Amino acid sequence: MRVGVLTGGGDCPGLNAVIRAVVRKGEVTHGDEFVGFLDGWRGVIEGRTMTLDVERCRGILPRGGTILGTSRTNPYKVEGGVDRALHNLRSERVDALVAIGGEDTLGVASRLAGEGVAVVGVPKTIDNDLSATEVTFGFHTAVQIAVDAIDRLHTTAESHDRVIVCEVMGRHAGWIATYAGIAGGAAEILIPEEPFDIEQVCTSLKNRHAKGRFASIVVVAEGALPAEGTLTVASREVDQFGHPRLGGIANVLAEEIEQRTGFETRVTILGHVQRGGTPTAFDRVLATRFGVAAIDAVHAGAFGQMVALRADRIVLVPLGEAVAELKTVDEDLLHGVAEIFWG
Ligand code: F6P
């Protein structure tokens, strides 16, 4: 078969491990030929490709990013985008497509499956907010990077007796904040699922410092918002999928904390450092398992499906499920575990 591969949406450690696994299993076991589409759906619309084979994939397993490039292009938002994409898939003689991406990329894949494209999905996002799979590769790496940073913030915060607000990624769900906060010993964790009350945050910090303890690390997800009517946060520009560009809630928070508590407060926004660099061993293994299962799914004719992890087994689920429901942070994890260590 001639199989197209693309990576879409925000990049994520482990993408290259998926590409390598798809190509290795496809070429060696199934005798496939591959074509890589550049920059996600944009490359499919514009007909920009690169050759993909086992040789090209040598050495990419530990590399962050994606050798195919990525974008947040949505063919359904580009004039004539879908027709051009369908035309280019035909002219490239693509029998099947493996689309590696998050809810947006897989949402497009799902719609194209409805137009007759033979597509199999592989879920990715460092945010870990896809309900169809128990975990996505990239999440584990992002958490580890955040925890390494928080460990370092503790020692400088303690030396200066400061509060440090550490902002991590997490647009709609606070998985990175919750895991990194638990593993890093945060004094507060603020996530998009639960609008925060700044007064409560400050009271809790004051109580903590009154006990003679000092230095607090507040971990905040970039998508966290204050409870209605408590604080004003500026609105942001949106991308082709309607997502606002986030980042910066930590600055608002730090200013308020310093003003209301009198504690000297600093900010660290981890940003894209969480998405860069080499994947952890866990993410390399998960990405490899996903890649192998995806090309097997192509040969089983399981189109319109995506690979997912459930109870440590790789299973196939309809692509529609990837975008159906957001996986939010488990309340018991946040309040039954993380909260015990706050204040
Ligand atoms: O969707 C994954 C993600 O890393 C979010 O956590 C973050 O809000 C967004 O991507 C950032 O996207 P960009 O790299 O396009 O600014």
Side-chain angles (χ1 to χ4, degrees):
M1 281 175 106
R2 186 162 157 86
V3 182
V5 183
L6 67 86
T7 51
D11 73 333
C12 166
L15 285 171
N16 285 327
V18 179
I19 296 168
R20 169 180 173 268
V22 168
V23 171
R24 171 67 76 105
K25 178 93 197 255
E27 195 175 298
V28 175
T29 308
H30 299 293
D32 293 331
E33 194 181 284
F34 289 90
V35 53
F37 286 96
L38 299 175
D39 304 332
W41 294 116
R42 194 196 296 158
V44 184
I45 295 172
E46 296 172 358
R48 287 186 302 110
T49 63
M50 67 179 255
T51 309
L52 259 190
D53 54 21
V54 169
E55 248 343 277
R56 178 62 189 87
C57 292
R58 285 201 197 287
I60 67 172
L61 172 65
R63 278 190 61 87
T66 160
I67 59 166
L68 293 175
T70 187
S71 72
R72 293 194 186 277
T73 301
N74 181 350
Y76 288 91
K77 287 282 159 71
V78 174
E79 177 98 29
V82 175
D83 289 342
R84 277 153 69 195
L86 294 174
H87 169 83
N88 289 330
L89 288 171
R90 271 195 305 274
S91 62
E92 280 293 338
R93 294 172 292 107
V94 166
D95 301 308
L97 186 64
V98 174
I100 311 164
E103 52 165 345
D104 298 332
T105 306
L106 298 181
V108 171
S110 180
R111 289 178 76 175
L112 288 177
E115 318 247 6
V117 176
V119 58
V120 167
V122 177
K124 73 85 227 181
T125 164
I126 64 163
D127 291 359
N128 197 35
D129 58 0
L130 298 179
S131 60
T133 181
E134 277 165 11
V135 67
T136 43
F137 61 86
F139 169 63
H140 193 269
T141 305
V143 169
Q144 192 58 54
I145 292 166
V147 172
D148 289 346
I150 292 168
D151 285 350
R152 288 172 189 278
L153 293 177
H154 272 293
T155 62
T156 172
E158 282 159 20
S159 305
H160 290 266
D161 195 8
R162 284 173 174 159
V163 174
I164 298 189
V165 180
C166 177
E167 181 179 301
V168 298
M169 280 188 169
R171 205 199 282 274
H172 308 294
W175 288 103
I176 299 176
T178 304
Y179 267 63
I182 293 172
E188 289 287 334
I189 300 171
L190 308 177
I191 62 174
E193 289 88 332
E194 293 189 7
F196 63 86
D197 178 339
I198 186 68
E199 207 40 58
Q200 258 173 31
V201 172
C202 292
T203 305
S204 160
L205 290 174
K206 280 191 217 156
N207 290 344
R208 174 181 159 85
H209 288 236
K211 283 182 222 147
R213 314 245 299 273
F214 57 90
S216 302
I217 306 297
V218 175
V219 177
V220 60
E222 61 180 354
L225 282 172
E228 222 179 302
T230 54
L231 268 180
T232 320
V233 181
S235 55
R236 312 295 169 111
E237 70 179 90
V238 294
D239 67 17
Q240 282 192 349
F241 287 94
H243 302 306
R245 184 169 300 150
L246 299 174
I249 184 69
N251 289 317
V252 178
L253 205 56
E255 217 179 290
E256 288 295 323
I257 291 172
E258 192 164 273
Q259 253 176 39
R260 293 174 190 235
T261 65
F263 301 142
E264 205 181 350
T265 306
R266 293 288 188 270
V267 175
T268 296
I269 299 178
L270 293 180
H272 290 81
V273 75
Q274 294 159 98
R275 289 220 314 243
T278 189
T280 59
F282 178 88
D283 282 338
R284 293 182 202 188
V285 173
L286 180 59
T288 300
R289 291 176 75 193
F290 274 174
V292 167
I295 193 68
D296 284 346
V298 164
H299 285 275
F303 300 120
Q305 308 271 311
M306 69 165 216
V307 296
L309 187 78
R310 293 194 179 164
D312 206 32
R313 316 280 322 162
I314 309 289
V315 296
L316 291 174
V317 298
L319 265 174
E321 273 190 37
V323 287
E325 213 185 312
L326 188 73
K327 185 175 70 189
T328 51
V329 171
D330 184 29
E331 264 190 48
D332 190 49
L333 182 67
L334 188 72
H335 295 297
V337 180
E339 195 177 335
I340 293 174
F341 302 92
W342 298 351

